[in-house]
Amino acid sequence: MPALAVLTTAAGGWFALTHRTEEGYDLGSIPLGQALWSFGSVFLLLRFGPGTDAWVARVRPVHAAVVLLNARAVTVYLWHEVALVLGVLLIDRMQRVPALENSLPLGATRFLYVLAWPLIASAVLPAGWTEDRGRNARYGCGRRPARHGEGAWEAREVQGKCTEGT
């Protein structure tokens, strides 16, 4: 696995360096280079990933965030592009207001991300319930993070709120 990771990453890097675009060495403009580089990076991450995720279970806010994102992964995936486009449109509107243009870092990518996350959350709230319906669980019903000592990713049914088959 490590040899394959190094080989594909090196091939992607070589292809990107030998196929410069007008924008320079932008992997987004060199699809084959980006694909090989990404493929190799994923192989590398699969091989050298963390050995344990127990620290996530010990930090309750992090564990709750991971469980929430896992439960709404499809919704986040489907709506993140829409949120980014809406964020760009909002930034364009903000640039027309001199006070905002002078006081906010409207050209910074991090500002777009600051705008995008609340927009993603606003899509998850009304549309996320469809993921519950897809797995035959009622909204608000399902799994919650395990308490410390019950296993890092073990989840328990919320007692008293769920009935079988609903």
Side-chain angles (χ1 to χ4, degrees), residues 109-129:
T109 304
R110 68 181 180 275
F111 189 74
L112 176 59
Y113 292 143
V114 166
L115 286 177
W117 277 107
L119 291 170
I120 292 169
S122 67
V124 166
L125 289 173
W129 64 272

Side-chain angles (χ1 to χ4, degrees), residues 54 57-60 146-151:
R58 286 192 303 269
V59 182
R60 297 277 301 165
R147 295 185 189 273
H148 182 66
E150 294 178 354

Side-chain angles (χ1 to χ4, degrees), residues 3 21 61 66 72 88 135:
T21 64
V66 169
R72 300 292 180 255
V88 169
R135 68 172 198 269

Side-chain angles (χ1 to χ4, degrees), residues 69-86:
L69 283 174
N70 281 339
R72 300 292 180 255
V74 173
T75 305
V76 170
Y77 175 75
L78 291 175
W79 288 97
H80 81 280
E81 275 300 323
V82 174
L84 288 172
V85 169
L86 288 175

Side-chain angles (χ1 to χ4, degrees), residues 7 10 18 22-23 41 44 75 87 103 112 115-116 123 139 153 157:
L7 181 68
T18 58
E22 293 88 28
E23 294 88 29
S41 298
L44 193 63
T75 305
S103 62
L112 176 59
L115 286 177
Y139 184 72
W153 290 101
E157 291 294 325

